[in-house]
Tab-separated table of all heavy atoms in Angstrom:
chain	number	residue	atom	x	y	z
C	21	MET	N	0.852	-1.146	0.000
C	21	MET	CA	0.000	0.000	0.000
C	21	MET	C	0.912	1.227	0.000
C	21	MET	O	1.622	1.488	0.956
C	21	MET	CB	-0.877	-0.091	1.249
C	21	MET	CG	-1.889	0.919	1.379
C	21	MET	SD	-3.090	0.625	2.721
C	21	MET	CE	-2.305	-0.431	3.866
C	22	ASP	N	0.896	1.994	-1.061
C	22	ASP	CA	1.798	3.126	-1.199
C	22	ASP	C	1.311	4.348	-0.429
C	22	ASP	O	1.997	4.872	0.425
C	22	ASP	CB	1.972	3.486	-2.667
C	22	ASP	CG	2.687	2.401	-3.436
C	22	ASP	OD1	2.738	1.259	-2.966
C	22	ASP	OD2	3.198	2.706	-4.504
C	23	ARG	N	0.119	4.810	-0.758
C	23	ARG	CA	-0.427	5.998	-0.108
C	23	ARG	C	-1.728	5.621	0.577
C	23	ARG	O	-2.542	4.906	0.027
C	23	ARG	CB	-0.666	7.079	-1.142
C	23	ARG	CG	0.654	7.553	-1.762
C	23	ARG	CD	0.469	8.662	-2.701
C	23	ARG	NE	0.080	9.846	-1.933
C	23	ARG	CZ	-0.255	10.991	-2.479
C	23	ARG	NH1	-0.260	11.107	-3.778
C	23	ARG	NH2	-0.596	12.021	-1.737
C	24	VAL	N	-1.888	6.166	1.766
C	24	VAL	CA	-3.055	5.846	2.574
C	24	VAL	C	-3.744	7.156	2.956
C	24	VAL	O	-3.089	8.100	3.374
C	24	VAL	CB	-2.639	5.086	3.850
C	24	VAL	CG1	-3.840	4.754	4.690
C	24	VAL	CG2	-1.872	3.825	3.491
C	25	PHE	N	-5.058	7.164	2.810
C	25	PHE	CA	-5.835	8.346	3.149
C	25	PHE	C	-6.884	7.984	4.189
C	25	PHE	O	-7.325	6.838	4.268
C	25	PHE	CB	-6.514	8.917	1.903
C	25	PHE	CG	-5.541	9.345	0.853
C	25	PHE	CD1	-5.216	8.493	-0.192
C	25	PHE	CD2	-4.932	10.583	0.916
C	25	PHE	CE1	-4.302	8.873	-1.166
C	25	PHE	CE2	-4.015	10.982	-0.052
C	25	PHE	CZ	-3.705	10.117	-1.091
C	26	ASN	N	-7.305	8.967	4.941
C	26	ASN	CA	-8.308	8.755	5.974
C	26	ASN	C	-9.700	8.870	5.371
C	26	ASN	O	-10.447	9.797	5.657
C	26	ASN	CB	-8.120	9.763	7.114
C	26	ASN	CG	-9.068	9.520	8.256
C	26	ASN	OD1	-9.678	8.465	8.361
C	26	ASN	ND2	-9.212	10.503	9.111
C	27	ASN	N	-10.023	7.914	4.503
C	27	ASN	CA	-11.372	7.881	3.924
C	27	ASN	C	-11.751	6.438	3.592
C	27	ASN	O	-10.923	5.538	3.580
C	27	ASN	CB	-11.477	8.792	2.692
C	27	ASN	CG	-10.576	8.381	1.564
C	27	ASN	OD1	-10.505	7.216	1.191
C	27	ASN	ND2	-9.874	9.343	0.991
C	28	ALA	N	-13.037	6.258	3.350
C	28	ALA	CA	-13.564	4.908	3.123
C	28	ALA	C	-13.012	4.271	1.846
C	28	ALA	O	-12.798	3.054	1.814
C	28	ALA	CB	-15.086	4.948	3.074
C	29	ASP	N	-12.779	5.063	0.813
C	29	ASP	CA	-12.256	4.494	-0.433
C	29	ASP	C	-10.860	3.913	-0.237
C	29	ASP	O	-10.565	2.810	-0.698
C	29	ASP	CB	-12.228	5.552	-1.541
C	29	ASP	CG	-13.602	5.921	-2.020
C	29	ASP	OD1	-14.531	5.098	-1.904
C	29	ASP	OD2	-13.767	7.051	-2.521
C	30	SER	N	-10.013	4.654	0.441
C	30	SER	CA	-8.663	4.177	0.704
C	30	SER	C	-8.704	2.924	1.574
C	30	SER	O	-7.977	1.956	1.336
C	30	SER	CB	-7.851	5.278	1.396
C	30	SER	OG	-6.572	4.803	1.748
C	31	PHE	N	-9.577	2.933	2.564
C	31	PHE	CA	-9.722	1.763	3.422
C	31	PHE	C	-10.213	0.559	2.623
C	31	PHE	O	-9.708	-0.550	2.796
C	31	PHE	CB	-10.685	2.054	4.581
C	31	PHE	CG	-10.972	0.841	5.397
C	31	PHE	CD1	-10.059	0.394	6.342
C	31	PHE	CD2	-12.134	0.117	5.201
C	31	PHE	CE1	-10.314	-0.761	7.080
C	31	PHE	CE2	-12.397	-1.019	5.933
C	31	PHE	CZ	-11.489	-1.456	6.876
C	32	ALA	N	-11.197	0.770	1.762
C	32	ALA	CA	-11.740	-0.330	0.965
C	32	ALA	C	-10.660	-0.961	0.101
C	32	ALA	O	-10.577	-2.193	-0.003
C	32	ALA	CB	-12.899	0.158	0.098
C	33	MET	N	-9.823	-0.142	-0.507
C	33	MET	CA	-8.746	-0.690	-1.343
C	33	MET	C	-7.759	-1.490	-0.492
C	33	MET	O	-7.326	-2.576	-0.890
C	33	MET	CB	-8.038	0.434	-2.092
C	33	MET	CG	-8.921	1.087	-3.131
C	33	MET	SD	-8.174	2.353	-4.195
C	33	MET	CE	-6.918	3.085	-3.251
C	34	ALA	N	-7.413	-0.961	0.678
C	34	ALA	CA	-6.487	-1.673	1.565
C	34	ALA	C	-7.109	-2.982	2.044
C	34	ALA	O	-6.434	-4.019	2.102
C	34	ALA	CB	-6.120	-0.782	2.755
C	35	PHE	N	-8.391	-2.939	2.382
C	35	PHE	CA	-9.070	-4.151	2.848
C	35	PHE	C	-9.131	-5.197	1.737
C	35	PHE	O	-8.852	-6.372	1.975
C	35	PHE	CB	-10.479	-3.827	3.352
C	35	PHE	CG	-11.200	-5.045	3.830
C	35	PHE	CD1	-10.952	-5.550	5.093
C	35	PHE	CD2	-12.103	-5.702	3.011
C	35	PHE	CE1	-11.594	-6.698	5.536
C	35	PHE	CE2	-12.754	-6.841	3.442
C	35	PHE	CZ	-12.501	-7.345	4.711
C	36	ASP	N	-9.489	-4.776	0.533
C	36	ASP	CA	-9.562	-5.720	-0.588
C	36	ASP	C	-8.228	-6.413	-0.799
C	36	ASP	O	-8.167	-7.639	-0.980
C	36	ASP	CB	-9.972	-5.009	-1.876
C	36	ASP	CG	-11.409	-4.539	-1.878
C	36	ASP	OD1	-12.143	-4.776	-0.894
C	36	ASP	OD2	-11.804	-3.897	-2.879
C	37	ASP	N	-7.143	-5.642	-0.784
C	37	ASP	CA	-5.813	-6.228	-0.971
C	37	ASP	C	-5.481	-7.207	0.148
C	37	ASP	O	-4.981	-8.305	-0.106
C	37	ASP	CB	-4.742	-5.138	-1.031
C	37	ASP	CG	-4.787	-4.326	-2.310
C	37	ASP	OD1	-5.415	-4.774	-3.297
C	37	ASP	OD2	-4.198	-3.223	-2.318
C	38	ALA	N	-5.762	-6.813	1.383
C	38	ALA	CA	-5.469	-7.685	2.522
C	38	ALA	C	-6.314	-8.954	2.473
C	38	ALA	O	-5.834	-10.041	2.796
C	38	ALA	CB	-5.707	-6.926	3.830
C	39	TRP	N	-7.561	-8.820	2.046
C	39	TRP	CA	-8.446	-9.990	1.956
C	39	TRP	C	-7.907	-10.969	0.903
C	39	TRP	O	-7.822	-12.169	1.156
C	39	TRP	CB	-9.860	-9.547	1.588
C	39	TRP	CG	-10.833	-10.685	1.594
C	39	TRP	CD1	-11.136	-11.513	0.550
C	39	TRP	CD2	-11.608	-11.140	2.696
C	39	TRP	NE1	-12.057	-12.450	0.939
C	39	TRP	CE2	-12.365	-12.235	2.257
C	39	TRP	CE3	-11.740	-10.713	4.015
C	39	TRP	CZ2	-13.243	-12.919	3.099
C	39	TRP	CZ3	-12.613	-11.397	4.845
C	39	TRP	CH2	-13.353	-12.485	4.378
C	40	LYS	N	-7.552	-10.447	-0.246
C	40	LYS	CA	-7.032	-11.310	-1.309
C	40	LYS	C	-5.739	-11.989	-0.891
C	40	LYS	O	-5.524	-13.167	-1.197
C	40	LYS	CB	-6.853	-10.506	-2.587
C	40	LYS	CG	-8.196	-10.111	-3.198
C	40	LYS	CD	-8.040	-9.159	-4.358
C	40	LYS	CE	-9.414	-8.677	-4.810
C	40	LYS	NZ	-9.334	-7.588	-5.770
C	41	GLN	N	-4.884	-11.270	-0.179
C	41	GLN	CA	-3.651	-11.887	0.327
C	41	GLN	C	-3.977	-12.984	1.327
C	41	GLN	O	-3.322	-14.021	1.348
C	41	GLN	CB	-2.756	-10.831	0.981
C	41	GLN	CG	-2.101	-9.900	0.008
C	41	GLN	CD	-1.320	-8.802	0.709
C	41	GLN	OE1	-1.199	-8.776	1.923
C	41	GLN	NE2	-0.787	-7.877	-0.072
C	42	SER	N	-4.983	-12.757	2.161
C	42	SER	CA	-5.346	-13.761	3.160
C	42	SER	C	-5.866	-15.032	2.506
C	42	SER	O	-5.701	-16.121	3.046
C	42	SER	CB	-6.377	-13.210	4.149
C	42	SER	OG	-7.678	-13.218	3.611
C	43	LEU	N	-6.509	-14.905	1.357
C	43	LEU	CA	-7.025	-16.081	0.660
C	43	LEU	C	-5.902	-16.974	0.150
C	43	LEU	O	-6.098	-18.165	-0.059
C	43	LEU	CB	-7.929	-15.666	-0.501
C	43	LEU	CG	-9.262	-15.030	-0.113
C	43	LEU	CD1	-10.003	-14.597	-1.368
C	43	LEU	CD2	-10.105	-15.976	0.715
C	44	ARG	N	-4.732	-16.400	-0.047
C	44	ARG	CA	-3.580	-17.178	-0.505
C	44	ARG	C	-2.858	-17.870	0.651
C	44	ARG	O	-1.970	-18.672	0.431
C	44	ARG	CB	-2.616	-16.279	-1.272
C	44	ARG	CG	-3.192	-15.796	-2.597
C	44	ARG	CD	-2.148	-15.099	-3.446
C	44	ARG	NE	-1.808	-13.784	-2.963
C	44	ARG	CZ	-2.403	-12.647	-3.335
C	44	ARG	NH1	-3.378	-12.688	-4.220
C	44	ARG	NH2	-2.020	-11.492	-2.845
C	45	SER	N	-3.262	-17.553	1.867
C	45	SER	CA	-2.644	-18.125	3.056
C	45	SER	C	-3.382	-19.395	3.465
C	45	SER	O	-4.601	-19.397	3.610
C	45	SER	CB	-2.694	-17.106	4.196
C	45	SER	OG	-2.391	-17.724	5.413
C	46	ASP	N	-2.651	-20.460	3.668
C	46	ASP	CA	-3.265	-21.725	4.068
C	46	ASP	C	-3.964	-21.607	5.419
C	46	ASP	O	-5.028	-22.173	5.625
C	46	ASP	CB	-2.222	-22.834	4.133
C	46	ASP	CG	-1.761	-23.262	2.755
C	46	ASP	OD1	-2.517	-23.052	1.780
C	46	ASP	OD2	-0.653	-23.790	2.643
C	47	THR	N	-3.384	-20.880	6.348
C	47	THR	CA	-3.984	-20.767	7.680
C	47	THR	C	-5.271	-19.961	7.644
C	47	THR	O	-6.194	-20.227	8.396
C	47	THR	CB	-3.006	-20.111	8.672
C	47	THR	OG1	-2.605	-18.840	8.166
C	47	THR	CG2	-1.793	-20.976	8.897
C	48	SER	N	-5.362	-18.999	6.768
C	48	SER	CA	-6.537	-18.141	6.698
C	48	SER	C	-7.717	-18.838	6.034
C	48	SER	O	-8.866	-18.520	6.315
C	48	SER	CB	-6.195	-16.860	5.937
C	48	SER	OG	-7.237	-15.945	6.044
C	49	ARG	N	-7.464	-19.786	5.181
C	49	ARG	CA	-8.545	-20.479	4.468
C	49	ARG	C	-9.479	-21.228	5.408
C	49	ARG	O	-10.654	-21.404	5.100
C	49	ARG	CB	-7.971	-21.444	3.444
C	49	ARG	CG	-7.383	-20.747	2.258
C	49	ARG	CD	-6.931	-21.739	1.239
C	49	ARG	NE	-6.213	-21.045	0.186
C	49	ARG	CZ	-5.577	-21.641	-0.781
C	49	ARG	NH1	-5.563	-22.959	-0.839
C	49	ARG	NH2	-4.962	-20.953	-1.707
C	50	SER	N	-8.968	-21.664	6.524
C	50	SER	CA	-9.792	-22.434	7.450
C	50	SER	C	-10.638	-21.546	8.360
C	50	SER	O	-11.491	-22.049	9.087
C	50	SER	CB	-8.905	-23.345	8.307
C	50	SER	OG	-8.039	-22.561	9.098
C	51	LEU	N	-10.433	-20.255	8.310
C	51	LEU	CA	-11.186	-19.332	9.159
C	51	LEU	C	-12.543	-19.000	8.545
C	51	LEU	O	-12.702	-18.985	7.332
C	51	LEU	CB	-10.405	-18.024	9.339
C	51	LEU	CG	-9.045	-18.108	10.012
C	51	LEU	CD1	-8.386	-16.735	10.017
C	51	LEU	CD2	-9.162	-18.660	11.411
C	52	SER	N	-13.492	-18.712	9.412
C	52	SER	CA	-14.785	-18.226	8.933
C	52	SER	C	-14.595	-16.799	8.396
C	52	SER	O	-13.561	-16.164	8.642
C	52	SER	CB	-15.800	-18.204	10.079
C	52	SER	OG	-15.457	-17.191	11.015
C	53	ILE	N	-15.579	-16.308	7.688
C	53	ILE	CA	-15.504	-14.938	7.169
C	53	ILE	C	-15.337	-13.953	8.314
C	53	ILE	O	-14.524	-13.027	8.240
C	53	ILE	CB	-16.749	-14.610	6.326
C	53	ILE	CG1	-16.740	-15.435	5.049
C	53	ILE	CG2	-16.823	-13.123	6.008
C	53	ILE	CD1	-18.013	-15.350	4.243
C	54	GLU	N	-16.097	-14.150	9.377
C	54	GLU	CA	-16.016	-13.269	10.547
C	54	GLU	C	-14.617	-13.285	11.161
C	54	GLU	O	-14.041	-12.240	11.459
C	54	GLU	CB	-17.052	-13.706	11.591
C	54	GLU	CG	-17.100	-12.844	12.805
C	54	GLU	CD	-17.656	-11.464	12.558
C	54	GLU	OE1	-18.459	-11.290	11.630
C	54	GLU	OE2	-17.277	-10.539	13.306
C	55	GLU	N	-14.055	-14.474	11.318
C	55	GLU	CA	-12.718	-14.600	11.896
C	55	GLU	C	-11.659	-13.989	10.980
C	55	GLU	O	-10.752	-13.299	11.453
C	55	GLU	CB	-12.388	-16.073	12.153
C	55	GLU	CG	-13.219	-16.714	13.240
C	55	GLU	CD	-13.046	-18.216	13.282
C	55	GLU	OE1	-12.898	-18.860	12.212
C	55	GLU	OE2	-13.076	-18.755	14.398
C	56	ARG	N	-11.763	-14.253	9.693
C	56	ARG	CA	-10.793	-13.712	8.744
C	56	ARG	C	-10.851	-12.191	8.729
C	56	ARG	O	-9.816	-11.521	8.706
C	56	ARG	CB	-11.058	-14.266	7.343
C	56	ARG	CG	-9.960	-13.893	6.365
C	56	ARG	CD	-10.211	-14.428	4.984
C	56	ARG	NE	-10.540	-15.841	5.003
C	56	ARG	CZ	-11.291	-16.436	4.090
C	56	ARG	NH1	-11.787	-15.751	3.093
C	56	ARG	NH2	-11.549	-17.712	4.166
C	57	THR	N	-12.054	-11.643	8.765
C	57	THR	CA	-12.196	-10.187	8.788
C	57	THR	C	-11.534	-9.616	10.038
C	57	THR	O	-10.803	-8.622	9.961
C	57	THR	CB	-13.684	-9.792	8.745
C	57	THR	OG1	-14.266	-10.326	7.556
C	57	THR	CG2	-13.856	-8.291	8.752
C	58	LYS	N	-11.768	-10.238	11.165
C	58	LYS	CA	-11.175	-9.773	12.416
C	58	LYS	C	-9.650	-9.797	12.350
C	58	LYS	O	-8.988	-8.836	12.752
C	58	LYS	CB	-11.670	-10.638	13.575
C	58	LYS	CG	-11.169	-10.204	14.915
C	58	LYS	CD	-11.735	-11.057	16.022
C	58	LYS	CE	-11.154	-10.603	17.359
C	58	LYS	NZ	-11.614	-11.384	18.469
C	59	VAL	N	-9.089	-10.876	11.833
C	59	VAL	CA	-7.634	-10.990	11.711
C	59	VAL	C	-7.089	-9.887	10.813
C	59	VAL	O	-6.082	-9.244	11.133
C	59	VAL	CB	-7.231	-12.385	11.185
C	59	VAL	CG1	-5.769	-12.417	10.762
C	59	VAL	CG2	-7.518	-13.445	12.232
C	60	ILE	N	-7.750	-9.653	9.703
C	60	ILE	CA	-7.296	-8.617	8.773
C	60	ILE	C	-7.332	-7.253	9.438
C	60	ILE	O	-6.365	-6.486	9.357
C	60	ILE	CB	-8.132	-8.634	7.484
C	60	ILE	CG1	-7.788	-9.875	6.661
C	60	ILE	CG2	-7.910	-7.362	6.665
C	60	ILE	CD1	-8.717	-10.137	5.508
C	61	LEU	N	-8.423	-6.944	10.107
C	61	LEU	CA	-8.554	-5.630	10.740
C	61	LEU	C	-7.572	-5.455	11.894
C	61	LEU	O	-7.079	-4.350	12.123
C	61	LEU	CB	-9.985	-5.420	11.234
C	61	LEU	CG	-11.068	-5.369	10.154
C	61	LEU	CD1	-12.435	-5.198	10.800
C	61	LEU	CD2	-10.816	-4.265	9.148
C	62	GLU	N	-7.271	-6.518	12.596
C	62	GLU	CA	-6.412	-6.416	13.774
C	62	GLU	C	-4.929	-6.598	13.490
C	62	GLU	O	-4.104	-6.168	14.295
C	62	GLU	CB	-6.849	-7.431	14.831
C	62	GLU	CG	-8.208	-7.118	15.423
C	62	GLU	CD	-8.674	-8.144	16.437
C	62	GLU	OE1	-7.978	-9.164	16.649
C	62	GLU	OE2	-9.755	-7.930	17.020
C	63	THR	N	-4.586	-7.215	12.355
C	63	THR	CA	-3.169	-7.490	12.128
C	63	THR	C	-2.621	-6.971	10.803
C	63	THR	O	-1.441	-6.654	10.715
C	63	THR	CB	-2.879	-9.004	12.191
C	63	THR	OG1	-3.570	-9.669	11.138
C	63	THR	CG2	-3.298	-9.583	13.531
C	64	ARG	N	-3.435	-6.892	9.784
C	64	ARG	CA	-2.902	-6.519	8.469
C	64	ARG	C	-3.071	-5.042	8.134
C	64	ARG	O	-2.224	-4.474	7.448
C	64	ARG	CB	-3.529	-7.376	7.374
C	64	ARG	CG	-3.140	-8.832	7.486
C	64	ARG	CD	-3.751	-9.625	6.363
C	64	ARG	NE	-3.444	-11.028	6.526
C	64	ARG	CZ	-2.829	-11.753	5.600
C	64	ARG	NH1	-2.492	-11.221	4.456
C	64	ARG	NH2	-2.592	-13.020	5.817
C	65	ILE	N	-4.180	-4.460	8.557
C	65	ILE	CA	-4.411	-3.044	8.230
C	65	ILE	C	-4.777	-2.246	9.474
C	65	ILE	O	-5.448	-1.221	9.391
C	65	ILE	CB	-5.473	-2.874	7.122
C	65	ILE	CG1	-6.788	-3.542	7.506
C	65	ILE	CG2	-4.964	-3.392	5.794
C	65	ILE	CD1	-7.913	-3.289	6.504
C	66	GLN	N	-4.306	-2.694	10.622
C	66	GLN	CA	-4.656	-2.078	11.889
C	66	GLN	C	-4.217	-0.625	12.006
C	66	GLN	O	-4.776	0.128	12.799
C	66	GLN	CB	-4.102	-2.893	13.067
C	66	GLN	CG	-2.602	-2.791	13.264
C	66	GLN	CD	-1.797	-3.732	12.399
C	66	GLN	OE1	-2.314	-4.353	11.483
C	66	GLN	NE2	-0.521	-3.835	12.686
C	67	GLU	N	-3.258	-0.198	11.217
C	67	GLU	CA	-2.769	1.184	11.279
C	67	GLU	C	-3.445	2.106	10.266
C	67	GLU	O	-3.078	3.285	10.169
C	67	GLU	CB	-1.251	1.211	11.055
C	67	GLU	CG	-0.466	0.459	12.126
C	67	GLU	CD	-0.624	1.067	13.518
C	67	GLU	OE1	-0.664	2.300	13.608
C	67	GLU	OE2	-0.724	0.300	14.486
C	68	HIS	N	-4.398	1.598	9.514
C	68	HIS	CA	-5.058	2.451	8.515
C	68	HIS	C	-5.813	3.564	9.239
C	68	HIS	O	-6.566	3.302	10.174
C	68	HIS	CB	-6.015	1.629	7.652
C	68	HIS	CG	-6.431	2.365	6.426
C	68	HIS	ND1	-7.366	3.376	6.454
C	68	HIS	CD2	-6.005	2.267	5.141
C	68	HIS	CE1	-7.508	3.869	5.237
C	68	HIS	NE2	-6.688	3.203	4.427
């Protein structure tokens, strides 16, 4: 993620990228949607 802005569009792009990356992870595939979302928000884009 090169540039980050404090708006929903920037967040959506960051979330989409993090979600797609999580789908490539073997450990993330076994998580429910709710669990995967929580992991992404708490560990991958927590500083957005």
